Amino acid sequence: MASIKVGIIGGTGLDNPDILLERTEKRVITAYGEPSDSLVCGKIGNVDCVLLARHNRQHGVSPSFINYRANVLALKEEGCTHLVVTTACGSLQEHIHPGEIVILDQFIDRTYRRECSFYDGKEGHLKGVCHIAMGHPFCEPLRELLVETVKSLNISCHHKGTVVTIEGPRFSTRAESKLFKSWGADVINMTTVPEVVLANEMGLPYAAIAMPTDYDSWKEDEDHVDVELVRKTLKKNSENAMKILKAFIPKLATTDWQPILNSWKERAEKAVFA
Ligand code: ADE
């Protein structure tokens, strides 16, 4: 059975290192620069994990300026075999309520000022052009196990969901929010792209636990989103993210991941035109 190590990228208000036992902290630097924060290495159950705060625990890095490449590469170089991430988001659908969980399965990319490939032709970076397949950006077996875990905890869970990732840092106008909703998107955030794309380029199976905190700006009978609303809902629900990870990670170790790791690696390698 393949040995595993799980990289956990924690979103705003969801990056508490107390979740790990036997913690050690480590600052690293990659060929693509510095990750958002120190890596916190430790264990959940018997499973080795590495936690990274996406926005930095002290300073708060804006979504456009997060070094997504350094974050993903740092976790890969630390030996992580999987990436499981948390992300706050807005809900674009009436039936997805703040406080529930959405296990993402698709994205729509509305970002425009981010480095979205490791293969950029620059000195010291990966060579060639990477046309990574994106039909299924999220790892299906990881998703299934997450859904099973969330259900077993009696937390209300949507089995799939399309996220629109916007550039931010501003929230959407009502017109934009209604447009995204009319496209059939389920939730909205500022960070899934390019993080998931880069995990795919690195051959790292990736899954995301999305936590709706608000109804964005489309809903006539609700306050539109603001920072206070996001903070308030996250405070109420961040315990759920911890509970899910604590139950989920030990379950991961009971599966033989080798065939899945092999297929993600092979897909990433085949995507590169050298
Ligand atoms: N994060 C939390 N709520 C959000 C929203 N409505 N739009 C974008 N990112 C968010």
Side-chain angles (χ1 to χ4, degrees):
M1 205 141 111
S3 69
I4 63 166
K5 192 185 251 196
V6 185
I8 303 169
I9 303 180
T12 315
L14 303 167
D15 50 13
N16 187 347
D18 291 349
I19 191 172
L20 300 186
L21 299 175
E22 301 171 34
R23 286 190 294 278
T24 54
E25 281 209 25
K26 190 170 176 181
R27 282 193 64 177
V28 298
I29 183 144
T30 75
Y32 294 81
E34 262 188 88
S36 302
D37 208 332
S38 307
L39 303 181
V40 184
C41 307
K43 281 187 183 283
I44 298 181
N46 270 335
V47 183
D48 289 321
C49 295
V50 185
L51 178 68
L52 173 58
R54 186 184 289 118
H55 298 270
N56 187 288
R57 283 164 291 168
Q58 263 88 50
H59 311 297
V61 185
S62 172
S64 301
F65 302 116
I66 291 171
N67 190 339
Y68 295 93
R69 296 192 298 187
N71 286 356
V72 170
L73 186 57
L75 292 169
K76 168 101 179 170
E77 288 181 341
E78 198 52 34
C80 294
T81 51
H82 300 68
L83 292 189
V84 178
V85 312
T86 53
T87 173
C89 61
S91 167
L92 294 171
Q93 301 296 339
E94 187 88 52
H95 68 282
I96 301 177
H97 307 104
E100 296 180 340
I101 297 291
V102 183
I103 306 300
L104 302 178
D105 73 325
Q106 287 290 326
F107 69 76
I108 296 172
D109 181 8
R110 294 274 301 176
T111 67
Y112 50 82
R113 51 182 300 194
R114 302 176 184 194
E115 299 288 359
C116 55
S117 176
F118 286 102
Y119 298 80
D120 61 4
K122 294 203 176 125
E123 190 64 32
H125 289 180
L126 288 173
K127 298 273 180 290
V129 179
C130 184
H131 297 290
I132 190 78
M134 272 297 110
H136 300 286
F138 299 88
C139 173
E140 203 49 39
L142 275 182
R143 282 187 4 82
E144 280 165 18
L145 204 57
L146 268 172
V147 169
E148 195 186 299
T149 308
V150 180
K151 272 185 170 172
S152 74
L153 294 168
N154 282 325
I155 299 170
S156 184
C157 176
H158 299 267
H159 300 192
K160 55 190 190 135
T162 298
V163 63
V164 181
T165 301
I166 57 170
E167 186 58 50
R170 69 168 175 86
F171 290 116
S172 303
T173 63
R174 178 156 286 176
E176 288 166 334
S177 192
K178 284 183 165 175
L179 177 69
F180 301 147
K181 179 174 164 55
S182 79
W183 288 349
D186 298 297
V187 292
I188 181 165
N189 75 358
M190 300 183 193
T191 55
T192 296
V193 185
E195 195 172 85
V196 61
V197 179
L198 296 165
N200 275 264
E201 280 195 357
M202 279 292 127
L204 286 172
Y206 179 102
I209 304 164
M211 308 193 73
T213 53
D214 56 84
Y215 277 110
D216 201 43
S217 313
W218 60 270
K219 211 164 182 299
E220 313 277 346
D221 59 349
E222 285 271 336
D223 285 345
H224 56 76
V225 60
D226 63 20
V227 169
E228 218 25 64
L229 181 57
V230 172
R231 275 223 188 97
K232 224 169 71 191
T233 324
L234 271 182
K235 208 165 170 194
K236 263 201 281 178
N237 298 297
S238 62
E239 268 303 300
N240 278 350
M242 298 294 135
K243 267 196 220 157
I244 293 166
L245 287 170
K246 277 188 184 163
F248 172 66
I249 304 276
K251 270 196 192 173
L252 266 186
T254 62
T255 302
D256 181 11
W257 289 95
Q258 199 58 61
I260 290 153
L261 298 180
N262 292 346
S263 79
W264 276 64
K265 181 167 181 272
E266 194 184 336
R267 184 160 60 84
E269 284 168 0
K270 282 194 174 152
V272 181
F273 271 48

